[in-house]
Amino acid sequence: MGKVIVVTSGKGGVGKTTSSAALGAALAQSGDKVVVVDFDVGLRNLDLIMGAERRVVYDLVNVIQGEAKLTQALIRDKRVETLYLLPASQTRDKDNLTSEGVEKVIGALKSHFDWVICDSPAGIERGATLAMRHADIAIVVTNPEVSSVRDSDRIIGLLDSKTLKAENGERMEKHLLLTRYDPARAERGDMLKVDDVLEILSIPLLGIIPESMDVLRASNIGSPVTLADERSAPALAYFDAVRRLKGENLPMTIPGEKRGFFGKIFGRKAA
Amino acid sequence: MTAVLTKPRPIRLKGRSYLALTLTPELPFEDWLVRLDDLAGRSAGFFLRRPVVLDVEGLEIDRAQLRDLVGKLGARNVRIMGIEGARPSMLGNDLPPAMSGGKTTGDIEEPAAEPAREAPVTETVAEAPAAPLPTRTAPASLVVTQPVRSGQSIFAEGDVTIVGSVASGAEVIAGGSIHIYGTLRGRAMAGTLGNAEARIFCRKLEAELVGIDGYYKTAEDLEPGLRGKPVQFWLEGETFTAGSLA
Ligand SMILES: Nc1ncnc2c1ncn2[C@@H]1O[C@H](COP(=O)(O)OP(=O)(O)O)[C@@H](O)[C@H]1O
Ligand SMILES: [Mg+2]
């Protein structure tokens, strides 16, 4: 059985879709079988980031409504053959996402893939709660600024109450992914410090992704950043995050700072 | 997904009791509203989306006055879910329903101007149809071993202990005292069931609002020197007092 990951945040524009694609691709690049599911019905863009927008025929809603088979809706990546996309519907109403329908689809995907990555829409409404509902692991995407941190805190509360895991009295595995971290702004003190974010959210840190033009360049050519430029700083940070996700204990690097300085952050666990 | 609902399921009706904030307006309403505005101004959004019951017991007012008051409260985003102590003839379809049988749990209000103002005279215990009335046992206290997240609200009739932080946008409400072994960034309201002896303790103060037994302080009212420090709050008579714990 594969693992279901929800990539969530509460706030929009923090890097959920970018991270879903990059983490999904990185996992697939390591040989695992991965499907990335777009839950952002009406505002889909995972297909663009993954360069599959012209190949979308059927989508998640079609599958849920029984209008297409799951195998018809899955799009296989042209570069990494173990990477698949299940697109969202751009035209349908998000009320078409039913709880039972989602459960069936996720159940089927779990038995075929090692990782099912659910790219959550922003907000705390139905779309977001459906995306997190069946997750085993949550990756909370947060930018180092107060509003994003507070929204993430809110989402963590929902992860601990509105998910199947929570309802069954189990603990949801949660990881913090700090994205759009800008060393220059950090230097000027314009951003929350990594330690402060960790103190507020008190969940373990999976990685810090630097703010980088490489992300924009990658999305412009329709490629996850880990595929577009494996050597770029954000790609390296995503690769490290994936290794941590798989249980490796890697030292944490804060972009723009020297290695070795961050021993105290490395290995830091939730309170 | 092919299952069809065949058996009509009966509608379930249950009785349940909730904690509501009770406002006891005083005449003249204009003055009372000024004081309310002052309180609301100091604790922004305090009444927002909270169930509020209006207790007009003993007030010499007529239907028009009551309707006017409810309207003025509505304009302040204070939504009245029910009215207690009004003569049945005063309440029509245009006013919230009558509430009765409320278990008095203390005044969450500013001190009454005239000492003569009667505290809710009797603990009128009307027959509550389904919910058995709690008997007087020690109030339940609560220990929370996880951080209280933004948007969450914790309530216990007794003491509340949080082993962790209370996030901005989260709130802890206790009939007794509140102990926070972490940072208090949200709101903490202790002694809300009429206990002036209740205290609030936190290891690091960054609070949005703190209150004990109806007395409040918002972030702006708090001494700046206490920010980021271990602090306790208590009532000294009617004075809301804060002191460093360090
Ligand atoms: N590390 C990064 N550096 C620079 N831009 C980024 C980074 N991560 C995301 N972005 C940009 O931010 C915008 C929002 O990202 P997206 O992944 O769509 O967020 P979400 O899915 O959370 O709404 C996009 O324009 C994306 O290219
Ligand atoms: Mg998105």
Side-chain angles (χ1 to χ4, degrees):
Chain A
M1 269 299 188
K3 283 247 162 66
V4 182
I5 299 180
V6 61
V7 178
T8 185
S9 73
K11 199 172 160 68
V14 293
K16 287 179 295 297
T17 300
T18 304
S19 299
S20 299
L23 294 169
L27 280 165
Q29 283 165 282
S30 79
D32 290 353
K33 218 173 158 195
V34 182
V35 60
V36 191
V37 186
D38 192 347
F39 270 84
D40 210 344
V41 172
L43 281 176
R44 79 168 191 221
N45 41 47
L46 195 58
D47 53 325
L48 289 170
I49 303 293
M50 294 184 58
E53 70 276 15
R54 278 191 290 275
R55 298 168 64 204
V56 175
V57 183
Y58 296 111
D59 57 52
L60 177 61
V61 168
N62 292 133
V63 177
I64 284 177
Q65 305 261 295
E67 296 153 354
K69 290 209 195 74
L70 189 51
T71 45
Q72 292 177 295
L74 286 172
I75 302 172
R76 180 190 225 153
D77 191 86
K78 289 213 162 124
R79 297 148 295 204
V80 187
E81 61 172 21
T82 54
L83 178 62
Y84 288 76
L85 165 70
L86 181 54
S89 172
Q90 183 71 339
T91 48
R92 306 287 283 267
D93 193 328
K94 52 181 171 296
D95 291 344
N96 288 310
L97 282 188
T98 61
S99 176
E100 306 77 41
V102 169
E103 182 172 357
K104 247 178 94 176
V105 171
I106 297 283
L109 291 173
K110 255 166 85 163
S111 59
H112 284 96
F113 291 91
D114 299 318
W115 302 94
V116 180
I117 300 182
C118 305
D119 178 21
S120 172
I124 54 171
E125 308 302 329
R126 199 178 147 78
T129 49
L130 270 178
M132 68 170 67
R133 180 132 189 95
H134 303 277
D136 302 303
I137 302 170
I139 295 180
V140 180
V141 179
T142 306
N143 295 161
E145 42 133 331
V146 272
S147 62
S148 171
V149 170
R150 181 154 88 171
D151 289 0
S152 292
D153 193 66
R154 183 91 214 263
I155 279 290
I156 296 170
L158 295 184
L159 288 167
D160 286 335
S161 61
K162 291 271 171 86
T163 52
L164 273 183
K165 276 226 149 175
E167 285 171 13
N168 293 335
E170 294 167 56
R171 248 186 104 79
M172 164 86 67
E173 183 183 330
K174 296 178 288 279
H175 300 276
L176 175 67
L177 189 65
L178 255 191
T179 54
R180 312 202 65 169
Y181 185 92
D182 186 338
R185 288 181 58 209
E187 184 82 12
R188 292 198 302 269
D190 289 351
M191 284 187 325
L192 286 179
K193 295 208 184 66
V194 176
D195 256 350
D196 290 341
V197 179
L198 283 173
E199 200 265 321
I200 293 175
L201 296 179
S202 53
I203 57 174
L205 183 60
L206 188 67
I208 307 172
I209 315 296
E211 172 82 14
S212 163
M213 281 304 289
D214 294 312
V215 171
L216 294 181
R217 270 196 290 272
S219 71
N220 283 339
I221 59 165
S223 169
V225 69
T226 51
L227 280 173
D229 183 355
E230 297 192 14
R231 291 301 170 104
S232 65
L236 292 174
Y238 279 118
F239 284 126
D240 275 2
V242 154
R243 286 169 65 188
R244 290 189 194 99
L245 191 64
K246 290 176 142 194
E248 259 185 78
N249 216 341
L250 294 177
M252 190 66 68
T253 320
I254 299 183
E257 290 183 18
K258 288 192 213 82
R259 222 176 242 273
F261 205 69
F262 335 102
K264 59 180 172 132
I265 286 167
F266 155 57
R268 184 174 171 143
K269 284 277 181 282
Chain B
M1 284 210 296
T2 48
V4 184
L5 275 183
T6 45
K7 259 190 267 167
R9 282 200 284 147
I11 303 287
R12 296 166 75 192
L13 294 174
K14 289 180 176 180
R16 192 168 287 183
S17 55
Y18 293 93
L19 189 80
L21 215 64
T22 306
L23 281 176
T24 49
E26 292 159 33
L27 289 167
F29 287 155
E30 289 313 317
D31 294 354
W32 181 80
L33 284 167
V34 168
R35 277 183 280 148
L36 183 81
D37 287 341
D38 180 50
L39 168 67
R42 280 183 287 128
S43 48
F46 183 66
F47 292 108
L48 213 64
R49 282 182 236 293
R50 247 171 230 281
V52 177
V53 168
L54 201 59
D55 180 5
V56 295
E57 176 83 48
L59 285 181
E60 290 299 320
I61 50 168
D62 60 23
R63 188 181 151 81
Q65 277 173 294
L66 181 60
R67 202 168 33 191
D68 185 52
L69 179 63
V70 170
K72 283 185 172 141
L73 287 168
R76 289 166 167 78
N77 276 325
V78 182
R79 283 196 303 212
I80 305 297
M81 64 177 285
I83 296 180
E84 190 170 351
R87 294 183 306 278
S89 61
M90 275 167 66
L91 302 177
N93 281 337
D94 53 344
L95 280 172
M99 308 274 287
S100 64
K103 194 174 70 133
T104 305
T105 51
D107 301 341
I108 307 181
E109 59 162 348
E110 300 206 333
E114 333 95 279
R117 162 138 185 86
E118 36 189 354
V121 204
T122 43
E123 299 217 350
T124 25
V125 176
E127 313 91 290
L133 283 162
T135 43
R136 266 169 218 288
T137 47
S141 60
L142 183 68
V143 178
V144 179
T145 54
Q146 287 181 346
V148 184
R149 304 288 180 181
S150 188
Q152 290 178 340
S153 182
I154 301 280
F155 171 76
E157 284 188 33
D159 290 358
V160 175
T161 305
I162 313 279
V163 189
S165 296
V166 177
S168 153
E171 62 183 13
V172 179
I173 305 171
S177 294
I178 297 174
H179 310 258
I180 298 165
Y181 293 94
T183 308
L184 170 58
R185 296 192 175 83
R187 301 170 171 194
M189 282 161 276
T192 53
L193 305 186
N195 177 3
E197 299 297 310
R199 292 187 179 218
I200 297 172
F201 306 85
C202 64
R203 216 166 70 176
K204 191 171 169 196
L205 179 72
E206 303 280 351
E208 290 162 359
L209 182 145
V210 280
I212 298 173
D213 191 19
Y215 297 85
Y216 297 90
K217 279 209 173 180
T218 56
E220 298 110 71
D221 310 333
L222 293 168
E223 286 168 51
L226 294 174
R227 264 196 72 180
K229 301 258 165 57
V231 176
Q232 67 163 325
F233 297 95
W234 70 96
L235 284 183
E236 221 153 73
E238 294 182 355
T239 315
F240 194 91
T241 321
S244 167
L245 277 171

